Amino acid sequence: MPILECTVGIGSLVAGPASLAAAERTTSTVLVTGVRTRFVVAATMSVATATASWIGWLRMGTTPSWLVWCWVCALGFGLALADLRCRRLPFPMVTTLAGGCAVAFFSVALIDGVWSRFAFASAAAVVAFGLASLVQVCAPDHTGGGDTALYGALALFLGWFGWDGLLRGLLIASGLTAVVALVVAVSSKSVNSTFAAGPSLLGGALVSVLVA
């Protein structure tokens, strides 16, 4: 187990520059300019990922759920940066996040036989994606395809923790996003103001796992 923990620790440190590069590649945008600034941003993302991984380990121990937590954190910081800088949640990164969760959960189900748990998480992802797509169709000016895909990916992740984990996670993530929207609307004095919803959705989902 120490080998696994060390591997995750090293991976967390590499995740910073890797996630930054992935975000720039998938958005076709230079998110951070200047050598010194890029180093600081990448280092900050690495430290943040390593810290989040350590916190997750204290909460979950060395379990498959912890490994998936680390995966979501590593990609989450890159997604949050992309959304903050260019108001986009690149679909390839969101798909990679969901794909990694699906592969990990399928592997656990294959080994431990917890197929009902895997089926519930998968169904939660499909339903959440469908509902988010409906919201996008009804209010295209307030939500984008990246947000819709992210809801599905987060529902897959949260659904692994059962009904309680799913409902608590979506409630906290959506509630935090609503608070951010209200603050932005008040500060800009416009109810039509746009903002990056990705960071609050990701942050709320991750926090919900820790407070379970």
Side-chain angles (χ1 to χ4, degrees):
M1 290 303 176
I3 296 178
L4 176 60
E5 293 161 9
C6 289
T7 301
V8 172
I10 295 173
S12 297
L13 295 177
V14 175
S19 188
L20 173 59
E24 291 186 328
R25 183 177 180 84
T26 53
T27 58
S28 300
T29 304
V30 178
L31 301 177
V32 182
T33 58
V35 176
R36 180 176 299 180
T37 304
R38 290 183 65 85
F39 174 81
V40 171
V41 171
T44 301
M45 292 171 66
S46 292
V47 172
T49 303
T51 302
S53 298
W54 177 72
I55 293 174
W57 177 75
L58 291 177
R59 179 66 180 84
M60 292 172 275
T62 309
T63 61
S65 297
W66 173 60
L67 294 178
V68 177
W69 161 275
C70 295
W71 176 255
V72 174
C73 289
L75 287 173
F77 286 113
L79 284 167
L81 178 63
D83 204 14
L84 288 170
R85 293 291 293 167
C86 59
R87 296 295 191 273
R88 286 181 58 193
L89 288 168
F91 191 73
M93 286 189 70
V94 178
T95 303
T96 301
L97 186 152
C101 292
V103 170
F105 293 153
F106 179 81
S107 300
V108 175
L110 191 63
I111 295 172
D112 296 337
V114 288
W115 291 107
S116 60
R117 193 174 180 182
F118 176 73
F120 179 79
S122 300
V126 173
V127 172
F129 180 79
L131 292 176
S133 297
L134 182 61
V135 172
Q136 183 184 350
V137 171
C138 296
D141 294 334
H142 294 279
T143 184
D147 297 327
T148 299
L150 184 60
Y151 261 110
L154 291 178
L156 175 64
F157 170 60
L158 296 169
W160 184 253
F161 299 96
W163 273 110
D164 289 344
L166 175 64
L167 296 178
R168 179 176 55 251
L170 292 180
L171 180 62
I172 294 177
S174 299
L176 181 59
T177 302
V179 171
V180 174
L182 179 60
V183 171
V184 171
V186 171
S187 61
S188 63
K189 299 180 181 180
S190 173
V191 296
N192 295 318
S193 299
T194 60
F195 68 100
S200 56
L201 289 174
L202 286 161
L206 291 172
V207 167
S208 73
V209 175
L210 296 178
V211 300

